[in-house]
């Protein structure tokens, strides 16, 4: 279902599992000028927002909702780069009230997408610096992973196009180049220009979800 141009809604209904899952996927051409900023956006989305401005407050809120799992991930397929926001939570069938938890998940989505931890056109400086440092540390550690390193070198040897050689995370140098302003701008571009897909996997009241979205 196309909600508006460039924003699609998908339902994969099933009662096989005890949890429901929501995925918001941002799709954009893989570009060496934006890949690093997009990864940093993913880090910020899963860490905090204006309503829950620290990682501790955010995690406490998720824990209070029967242990909701909220995370982000990045991937690439061909010349397309994906940033995913993933939420997993207990199905309403196992709760005393129906549709309440789903509504709260959609409220969390709204905060994550519309109220990031930012002001004056920049992500919160201190939080961004911590996430950037953590990401660089992870990427430097990946170099010691022989499989990951070999895979990256194979990509560089095999492909002729510069964008196809890129890692889904970008490079340490590209990450270092980004700041809280450039990453926030990349987030705004994701919201305004990317193909955005909402996936609802599990047992959902489709009419209620569509109205809320």
């Amino acid at each position: 279902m196309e909600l508006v141009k460039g924003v699609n809604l998908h339902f994969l209904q099933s009662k096989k599992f005890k949890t429901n899952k929501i995925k918001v996927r941002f799709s954009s051409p893989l570009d060496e000028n934006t890949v690093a900023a997009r990864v940093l956006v993913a880090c910020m989305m899963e860490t905090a927002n204006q309503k829950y401005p620290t990682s501790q407050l955010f995690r406490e809120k998720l824990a209070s909702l029967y242990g909701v799992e909220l995370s982000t991930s990045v991937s690439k397929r061909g010349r397309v780069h994906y940033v995913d926001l993933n939420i997993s939570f207990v199905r309403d069938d196992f709760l005393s009230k129906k549709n309440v938890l789903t509504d709260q998940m959609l409220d969390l989505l709204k905060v994550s997408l519309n109220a990031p931890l930012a002001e004056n056109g920049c992500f919160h400086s201190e939080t961004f610096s911590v996430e950037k440092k953590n990401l660089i540390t992870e990427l430097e550690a990946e170099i010691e992973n022989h499989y990951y390193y070999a895979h990256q070198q194979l990509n560089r040897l095999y492909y002729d196009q510069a964008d196809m050689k890129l890692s889904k995370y970008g490079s340490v140098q590209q990450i270092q180049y980004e700041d809280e302003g450039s990453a926030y701008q990349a987030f705004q571009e994701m919201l305004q220009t990317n193909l955005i897909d909402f996936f609802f996997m599990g047992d959902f009241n489709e009419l209620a979800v569509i109205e809320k979205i």
Side-chain angles (χ1 to χ4, degrees):
M1 174 186 298
E2 186 177 62
L3 298 178
V4 295
K5 185 174 177 58
V7 181
N8 301 310
L9 181 61
H10 313 264
F11 288 98
L12 291 82
Q13 294 280 18
S14 173
K15 294 186 177 183
K16 291 171 60 177
F17 305 103
K18 293 182 179 179
T19 57
N20 283 337
K21 298 182 185 295
I22 302 173
K23 179 190 295 287
V24 184
R25 167 163 286 180
F26 295 87
S27 306
S28 179
L30 186 61
D31 186 339
E32 63 181 348
N33 296 315
T34 60
V35 60
R38 290 165 62 85
V39 177
L40 287 163
V41 169
C43 294
M44 290 297 293
M45 277 199 295
E46 72 174 16
T47 300
N49 49 60
Q50 289 184 28
K51 190 170 184 179
Y52 307 103
T54 69
S55 178
Q56 180 178 347
L57 287 173
F58 197 23
R59 295 300 147 186
E60 286 177 353
K61 175 60 178 178
L62 297 177
S64 72
L65 297 172
Y66 304 93
V68 172
E69 295 180 6
L70 184 147
S71 64
T72 57
S73 59
V74 297
S75 57
K76 71 171 188 174
R77 183 174 299 166
R79 299 173 119 169
V80 181
H81 191 247
Y82 302 112
V83 175
D84 293 344
L85 175 62
N86 308 293
I87 300 178
S88 178
F89 59 100
V90 177
R91 267 178 49 199
D92 286 338
D93 284 356
F94 298 94
L95 304 175
S96 58
K97 295 182 180 179
K98 303 303 179 187
N99 297 323
V100 172
L101 198 52
T102 298
D103 276 350
Q104 290 176 307
M105 296 306 102
L106 295 174
D107 288 338
L108 277 179
L109 273 184
K110 182 178 180 180
V111 171
S112 296
L113 298 178
N114 292 346
L117 189 61
E119 60 181 0
N120 300 322
C122 295
F123 281 120
H124 183 259
S125 180
E126 185 177 346
T127 305
F128 181 84
S129 295
V130 171
E131 292 305 311
K132 179 176 176 178
K133 181 179 179 180
N134 289 342
L135 179 58
I136 290 173
T137 300
E138 290 177 15
L139 290 180
E140 289 175 339
E142 287 284 11
I143 295 174
E144 302 301 320
N145 181 325
H146 294 168
Y147 175 82
Y148 174 82
Y149 182 76
H151 184 69
Q152 288 305 115
Q153 293 302 309
L154 184 61
N155 281 347
R156 293 190 179 100
L157 290 170
Y158 184 79
Y159 292 111
D160 293 327
Q161 303 95 334
D163 53 357
M164 294 292 287
K165 298 180 182 183
L166 290 173
S167 162
K168 62 184 177 181
Y169 301 114
S171 66
V172 171
Q173 291 74 24
Q174 288 170 316
I175 296 294
Q176 289 173 331
Y177 179 77
E178 301 293 342
D179 60 27
E180 53 267 38
S182 63
Y184 182 78
Q185 181 59 40
F187 184 40
Q188 296 308 304
E189 290 176 3
M190 288 167 60
L191 292 169
Q192 295 166 18
T193 68
N194 281 200
L195 175 65
I196 303 175
D197 290 281
F198 289 85
F199 296 93
F200 290 83
M201 297 161 281
D203 184 23
F204 291 95
N205 180 329
E206 294 190 14
L207 292 178
V209 169
I210 291 169
E211 182 178 356
K212 186 88 171 179
I213 290 289

